[in-house]
Amino acid sequence: MRFATRLPGERGLAEHDADQIALIRGQIMRVGDRWRATHPWIDGHQDEMGMAIFVAAIIGVLGDAALYATGLLPWWATVLVTALWLSLLHEIEHDLIHSMYFRTNKWVHNSMMLGVWLFRPSTINPWVRRRLHLHHHEMSGTDSDLEERGITNGQRWGGHRLLGLLDTMLGYALRPFHMRRLVHAYVAQAARDPEESRRLAVTTPLGYFPLSAVHYGLWYLTIGVHLYELFGGHIAYPSAHHALDVVAVTLLAPNMIRTFCLHFVSSNMHYYGDVEPHNVLQQTQVWTAKWLWPAHALCFNFGGTHAIHHFLVRDPFYVREAIRAECQVVLRTHGVRFNDFGTFRRANRFGLAASTTGSVEV
């Protein structure tokens, strides 16, 4: 058989693109199969691997906090190392969303979902995100792709986009009507009936509550207290101030910097606007430039491996990283773009030149 099986959404594409997508998917599948055959123990214990990484990352976060609290780890190292652990928890959450761990044990599965949310309180409720993310795979690059549109994908570069990447909640707050339109576009496309439409219209905007409200409230309080001190104010409760600083260094700041790195990479490596629905060739590019290493270090090389995931969802994140080099050869050979940094000028459009982007969103 020459090509792997086409998915239903791909049957409406031009024959060349549909064949290319099937060919890429088939080759990536064979690369993964060879890796699995070479590492049978790891492949046969996918649930255990996910749990081991989950537990190790949580121990890492708690260990960093203990070392910082006892003065053995400086604040800047605590922030960076903890952000590394949190990037692993993000990958675990993403794999859980695709039901890669404990698919048949709902108690363990949902406990892990809760755990990755508690340690990454700046993020959306993972059960809400599951629906958003699966819709992202279905409608990537279109108006209803709320997961990417919500993190500035498709916006013209400027002060607001940078602010939205640095602080997701503030970015939302400064453009409430824009966010309302994005949610409506998502609900209109994702809902299968009026009842589901009403449910999504309520649950989607509430996805950041309650944990993100607490996270950002404490973050803004920390900034406010330090600004107050900077301008000569006196803090009446130094012990509470110290406790707030510990939380900020060990959890809040690592989440902020990790989220910025992930959103910067994700929102710019995905294309938007002039892509065909279901055309995976037009959904993402691959980022391998060396100047991206600092950002990739805090989002587990997202730009280097995420395109693999769009073509083949099957593999957990550590398998994608293990087979990354060979898969990138496949992607490059069959026309997937690499390091297309012109997308910064084109507001993430796939094919239009900067002077002809038409209705680029402001």
Side-chain angles (χ1 to χ4, degrees):
M1 183 176 181
R2 184 181 177 188
F3 301 115
T5 304
R6 297 180 188 173
L7 299 180
E10 293 162 5
R11 292 170 190 154
L13 300 179
E15 183 176 357
H16 175 267
D17 284 357
D19 285 348
Q20 284 290 98
I21 292 168
L23 178 60
I24 292 170
R25 182 176 292 119
Q27 291 189 10
I28 290 175
M29 190 177 297
R30 286 191 289 276
V31 173
D33 288 343
R34 286 198 300 271
W35 186 91
R36 291 168 185 273
T38 308
H39 303 83
W41 185 88
I42 295 177
D43 181 53
H45 295 82
Q46 189 162 301
D47 288 347
E48 291 83 353
M49 283 291 297
M51 179 61 76
I53 296 169
F54 171 78
V55 171
I58 290 176
I59 291 174
V61 172
L62 297 176
D64 291 347
L67 291 173
Y68 172 73
T70 55
L72 297 176
L73 196 64
W75 70 268
W76 58 268
T78 304
V79 170
L80 292 176
V81 177
T82 301
L84 285 169
W85 294 120
L86 295 174
S87 73
L88 288 175
L89 290 179
H90 168 80
E91 296 297 336
I92 290 293
E93 181 201 61
H94 177 251
D95 287 351
L96 286 166
I97 283 172
H98 286 286
S99 301
M100 294 184 186
Y101 309 125
F102 298 98
R103 183 191 300 266
T104 60
N105 190 328
K106 296 301 181 183
W107 188 90
V108 175
H109 179 92
N110 287 320
S111 294
M112 291 177 70
M113 290 274 276
L114 178 61
V116 295
W117 190 25
L118 289 172
F119 279 85
R120 296 158 48 259
S122 62
T123 60
I124 194 169
N125 177 321
W127 291 276
V128 173
R129 187 187 169 220
R130 169 174 278 152
R131 184 64 186 270
L132 290 171
H133 185 70
L134 297 180
H135 183 78
H136 161 69
H137 277 275
E138 179 71 16
M139 301 299 295
S140 183
T142 66
D143 287 336
S144 68
D145 183 6
L146 179 59
E147 182 174 66
E148 283 298 318
R149 300 284 282 126
I151 61 170
T152 77
N153 178 253
Q155 292 184 26
R156 190 190 300 275
W157 261 98
H160 181 269
R161 182 163 187 177
L162 179 60
L163 182 62
L165 290 172
L166 290 169
D167 188 318
T168 304
M169 197 62 65
L170 191 56
Y172 291 170
L174 292 177
R175 302 189 75 180
F177 298 109
H178 169 70
M179 288 306 302
R180 181 182 176 87
R181 288 195 299 272
L182 295 185
V183 171
H184 282 179
Y186 161 70
V187 171
Q189 181 66 45
R192 290 164 292 192
D193 53 58
E195 181 180 349
E196 186 175 35
S197 177
R198 288 189 293 269
R199 179 169 57 82
L200 290 177
V202 172
T203 59
T204 303
L206 294 177
Y208 279 99
F209 293 93
L211 294 188
S212 285
V214 175
H215 174 278
Y216 282 99
L218 291 174
W219 179 245
Y220 299 147
L221 178 61
T222 302
I223 294 173
V225 167
H226 281 278
L227 287 175
Y228 178 69
E229 281 189 314
L230 182 64
F231 288 102
H234 173 70
I235 303 299
Y237 302 99
S239 59
H241 183 197
H242 175 70
L244 184 62
D245 279 348
V246 170
V247 173
V249 170
T250 60
L251 189 65
L252 306 181
N255 267 299
M256 295 297 290
I257 189 173
R258 178 203 66 81
T259 300
F260 168 77
C261 290
L262 175 66
H263 288 185
F264 170 77
V265 173
S266 183
S267 68
N268 286 290
M269 64 164 291
H270 284 93
Y271 290 104
Y272 163 77
D274 58 344
V275 302
E276 292 180 280
H278 312 294
N279 192 336
V280 191
L281 290 169
Q282 300 177 359
Q283 290 176 0
T284 64
Q285 57 171 303
V286 181
W287 276 4
T288 58
K290 292 182 179 180
W291 66 268
L292 289 163
W293 286 1
H296 276 158
L298 299 183
C299 63
F300 209 81
N301 195 23
F302 188 90
T305 62
H306 190 64
I308 301 169
H309 174 68
H310 268 249
F311 281 97
L312 183 66
V313 173
R314 175 190 70 174
D315 295 325
F317 77 98
Y318 55 86
V319 173
R320 289 197 303 276
E321 181 60 30
I323 64 176
R324 164 183 52 84
E326 194 171 349
C327 288
Q328 285 179 356
V329 173
V330 172
L331 297 175
R332 190 187 294 272
T333 300
H334 295 288
V336 176
R337 294 181 182 178
F338 278 64
N339 300 319
D340 175 20
F341 299 124
T343 186
F344 289 101
R345 298 189 306 272
R346 305 196 306 268
N348 308 123
R349 270 49 179 187
F350 178 77
L352 301 181
S355 60
T356 59
T357 48
S359 57
V360 174
E361 182 181 332
V362 179

